Amino acid sequence: MVLYLIGIGLNNEKDITLNGLDAIKKCSKVYLEYYTSKLDCNIKNLEKLYKKKIHIADRELIENDEDILLNEAKKKNIALLIIGDVFSATTHINFLIRAKKLRIEVVVVNNASIISAVGIVGLELYKYGKITSIPFENKNVKTPYDALKSNLKNDLHTLFLLDLDITKNKFMTVNDAIKYLFEQGMEDRLCVGCSALGSEKPEIKSGKAKNLLEYKFKKYPQCLIVPGKLHFIEEETLNLYK
Amino acid sequence: MVLYLIGIGLNNEKDITLNGLDAIKKCSKVYLEYYTSKLDCNIKNLEKLYKKKIHIADRELIENDEDILLNEAKKKNIALLIIGDVFSATTHINFLIRAKKLRIEVVVVNNASIISAVGIVGLELYKYGKITSIPFENKNVKTPYDALKSNLKNDLHTLFLLDLDITKNKFMTVNDAIKYLFEQGMEDRLCVGCSALGSEKPEIKSGKAKNLLEYKFKKYPQCLIVPGKLHFIEEETLNLYK
């Protein structure tokens, strides 16, 4: 039996690939990992298009040690749908290891990830450094700032992923992230705020941190980028988003 | 009129998304950017599935200043298909800028990229540093080595993309890349070689550079990863690929 780990992309039900759809057809049960990101459509849309009932897999189900989901995959083909690409969230590597230890065959179907979708802002993907997340509670949290400092020192761009809590329908905004930068004394730093990346109409705004604070991004999830050293082509692209 | 930039994923014709297929349907002419990567299917497979004739866009057509393709997009909907994700190759950002200057509406349809597909080897995607390419002629080329040194110093992983020449059907191998590492005196360095990432059966091998040299990867394109500092979960995953 096969465990299919299927990326379903960043935006809506039609971001699935044909290979992804084929894999779903082979499965007797379909789960959706629903705690590390969100789509801009509801689960009914997925069910209608994929023609399968979708079971929500929360953190407890994916990360618990009893391996309920993996034990099911011993007996029948199971699909686990993952928003974005399959291994963009670190936690899913652990899941892969446990599956392999149980000798379950795993097939991965890749899809778009925020990590390459940020390419649209015009900063070279090759020149990003460490990616970091800003949590809701960040008063004395230095990890994101340390990653930024280290990247800047090495002339690299920094992608900040922003916290979310699906169960409470709560999402960190670009503005929240900029306030975090303010606390590190970076109000004049050039930033790029994004929302709805991967959709037909992404929102992208570049400007100094203090100026970006005036702009309200309307969709979720959002992310913030702080550019490192700019090549003139990168500068030219960012100017398109001023 | 709209210029659709459509990622078609990493492996075969069925890696396109439903949104990508819908976009192709709206276009009077479909180009395939065919010089920065390769698929594991031929162009006839794409034409059959997409139900459109596919015109090959080489470097000359995409990067020339006469903007033949962009000028077409002023008069009718044009699709440019890109292997992997749309902006994984730096050159396409330049294309986006030129389109915007000509006031052409651009819609991006994202897809899987090697940048997130490497997640399967088990190294955290958040902890990769600068990505670098090794060219065929690399005798005195220090850029890839400098990127590696800088990433290692910062405890970050390094993804090496390997040169290819589609017109000559010539692809750099993991072994070629390891020989480059040898010249930098890194024969004992832990490496991960990959081919066919994004397919149902990717090849992944981890081991010391000198030991990996004995393994022949069968598919293309290939890539090489040199891990930085390892978390125990990362080490455990790499062990699965020994």
Side-chain angles (χ1 to χ4, degrees):
Chain A
M1 297 296 103
V2 180
L3 171 67
Y4 291 93
L5 301 178
I6 305 173
I8 57 171
L10 295 165
N11 190 55
N12 64 31
E13 71 274 19
K14 296 182 85 176
D15 285 320
I16 196 161
T17 68
L18 298 184
N19 279 323
L21 269 186
D22 282 355
I24 289 176
K25 272 184 215 155
K26 293 177 199 159
C27 291
S28 351
K29 199 161 178 187
V30 178
Y31 287 94
L32 169 68
E33 183 272 83
Y34 204 58
Y35 61 96
T36 64
S37 192
K38 87 178 276 288
L39 288 170
D40 196 30
C41 67
N42 62 46
I43 290 165
K44 288 221 179 324
N45 297 116
L46 302 182
E47 289 184 327
K48 201 174 155 194
L49 181 68
Y50 306 165
K51 297 192 180 74
K52 296 267 179 177
K53 173 158 180 55
I54 288 176
H55 302 262
I56 297 299
D58 58 11
R59 190 181 294 273
E60 171 60 23
L61 188 70
I62 304 284
E63 297 180 14
N64 74 9
D65 292 328
E66 290 168 43
D67 290 334
I68 299 170
L69 204 156
L70 291 173
N71 281 314
E72 281 186 332
K74 281 186 184 169
K75 290 170 223 134
K76 49 194 178 189
N77 292 341
I78 298 282
L80 176 62
L81 310 180
I82 295 161
I83 296 169
D85 198 11
V86 174
F87 296 112
S88 288
T90 312
T91 171
H92 303 136
I93 278 294
N94 202 341
F95 193 68
L96 177 74
I97 297 177
R98 278 155 44 215
K100 295 218 173 191
K101 282 186 181 164
L102 293 168
R103 297 175 189 279
I104 294 164
E105 188 187 344
V106 178
V107 170
V108 170
V109 183
N110 292 107
N111 207 316
S113 163
I114 186 68
I115 293 175
S116 65
V118 291
I120 195 174
V121 313
L123 301 171
E124 275 192 47
L125 290 176
Y126 292 14
K127 283 165 47 191
Y128 278 80
K130 193 168 183 163
I131 298 169
T132 185
S133 302
I134 305 179
F136 286 120
E137 298 301 330
N138 56 45
K139 200 83 191 145
N140 295 304
V141 176
K142 281 287 174 192
T143 324
Y145 178 61
D146 290 342
L148 172 61
K149 265 199 308 190
S150 165
N151 288 340
L152 288 175
K153 208 173 114 189
N154 291 288
D155 295 333
L156 300 173
H157 312 312
T158 304
L159 169 61
F160 292 97
L161 300 173
L162 309 184
D163 207 356
L164 50 80
D165 184 340
I166 292 285
T167 56
K168 293 180 182 150
N169 202 29
K170 201 178 144 197
F171 303 93
M172 186 183 273
T173 64
V174 169
N175 285 356
D176 296 332
I178 287 177
K179 282 172 197 156
Y180 175 79
L181 288 186
F182 262 62
E183 279 168 33
Q184 323 301 328
M186 303 188 101
E187 49 278 341
D188 284 320
R189 191 85 217 173
L190 178 65
C191 292
V192 189
C194 309
S195 79
L197 287 186
S199 76
E200 207 165 311
K201 295 210 181 297
E203 281 185 295
I204 303 163
K205 278 282 163 209
S206 79
K208 285 187 178 177
K210 61 183 177 196
N211 300 332
L212 263 196
L213 209 52
E214 288 155 31
Y215 187 84
K216 297 284 167 226
F217 292 85
K218 283 170 273 313
K219 295 195 172 180
Y220 300 94
Q222 304 185 357
C223 66
L224 181 72
I225 301 157
V226 175
K229 193 178 168 189
L230 291 174
H231 184 267
F232 74 93
I233 297 275
E234 295 179 309
E235 213 166 330
E236 210 177 338
T237 322
L238 288 189
N239 283 338
L240 297 172
Y241 298 116
K242 256 188 182 161
Chain B
M1 298 295 103
V2 179
L3 172 65
Y4 291 92
L5 301 178
I6 305 172
I8 58 170
L10 294 165
N11 191 54
N12 64 31
E13 71 275 17
K14 295 182 86 175
D15 285 320
I16 196 161
T17 67
L18 298 183
N19 280 322
L21 268 187
D22 282 354
I24 289 177
K25 273 186 213 153
K26 295 178 197 158
C27 292
S28 352
K29 200 163 177 185
V30 177
Y31 287 94
L32 170 67
E33 183 273 82
Y34 204 58
Y35 62 96
T36 63
S37 192
K38 87 178 277 287
L39 287 171
D40 196 31
C41 67
N42 61 47
I43 290 165
K44 287 219 179 325
N45 296 116
L46 302 182
E47 290 184 327
K48 201 174 156 195
L49 181 67
Y50 306 165
K51 297 193 180 74
K52 295 269 179 173
K53 176 162 177 52
I54 288 176
H55 302 262
I56 297 298
D58 58 10
R59 189 180 294 275
E60 171 60 22
L61 188 70
I62 304 283
E63 298 182 12
N64 73 9
D65 293 328
E66 290 169 43
D67 290 334
I68 298 169
L69 205 157
L70 291 173
N71 281 314
E72 281 185 333
K74 282 185 182 170
K75 289 168 223 135
K76 50 193 178 190
N77 292 341
I78 298 283
L80 177 61
L81 310 180
I82 294 161
I83 296 169
D85 198 12
V86 174
F87 296 113
S88 288
T90 312
T91 172
H92 303 136
I93 277 293
N94 202 342
F95 193 68
L96 177 74
I97 296 177
R98 277 153 48 214
K100 295 221 172 189
K101 282 187 179 163
L102 292 168
R103 295 174 191 280
I104 294 165
E105 189 188 343
V106 178
V107 170
V108 170
V109 183
N110 291 107
N111 206 317
S113 164
I114 185 71
I115 294 174
S116 65
V118 291
I120 195 174
V121 312
L123 301 171
E124 275 191 46
L125 290 176
Y126 292 13
K127 283 166 45 191
Y128 278 79
K130 195 169 183 163
I131 298 169
T132 183
S133 302
I134 305 179
F136 286 119
E137 300 300 330
N138 56 45
K139 200 82 192 142
N140 296 304
V141 176
K142 281 285 174 192
T143 324
Y145 179 62
D146 290 342
L148 172 61
K149 265 198 309 190
S150 164
N151 287 341
L152 287 176
K153 209 173 109 188
N154 292 287
D155 294 335
L156 300 173
H157 312 312
T158 304
L159 168 61
F160 292 97
L161 300 173
L162 309 184
D163 208 357
L164 51 80
D165 184 341
I166 292 284
T167 57
K168 293 180 182 148
N169 201 29
K170 203 178 143 196
F171 303 93
M172 185 183 274
T173 63
V174 168
N175 286 355
D176 297 332
I178 286 178
K179 281 173 198 157
Y180 174 80
L181 288 186
F182 263 60
E183 280 168 32
Q184 325 301 329
M186 303 188 101
E187 48 278 339
D188 285 319
R189 190 86 218 172
L190 177 65
C191 293
V192 189
C194 309
S195 79
L197 288 186
S199 77
E200 206 165 311
K201 293 209 182 297
E203 280 184 296
I204 303 162
K205 278 281 163 209
S206 79
K208 283 187 179 178
K210 61 184 177 195
N211 300 333
L212 262 195
L213 209 53
E214 288 156 30
Y215 187 84
K216 298 285 168 224
F217 292 85
K218 284 170 272 313
K219 295 195 172 179
Y220 301 95
Q222 304 184 358
C223 67
L224 181 73
I225 300 158
V226 175
K229 193 178 169 189
L230 292 174
H231 184 268
F232 75 93
I233 296 275
E234 295 179 309
E235 214 165 329
E236 209 177 338
T237 323
L238 287 189
N239 284 339
L240 298 172
Y241 299 118
K242 256 190 183 160

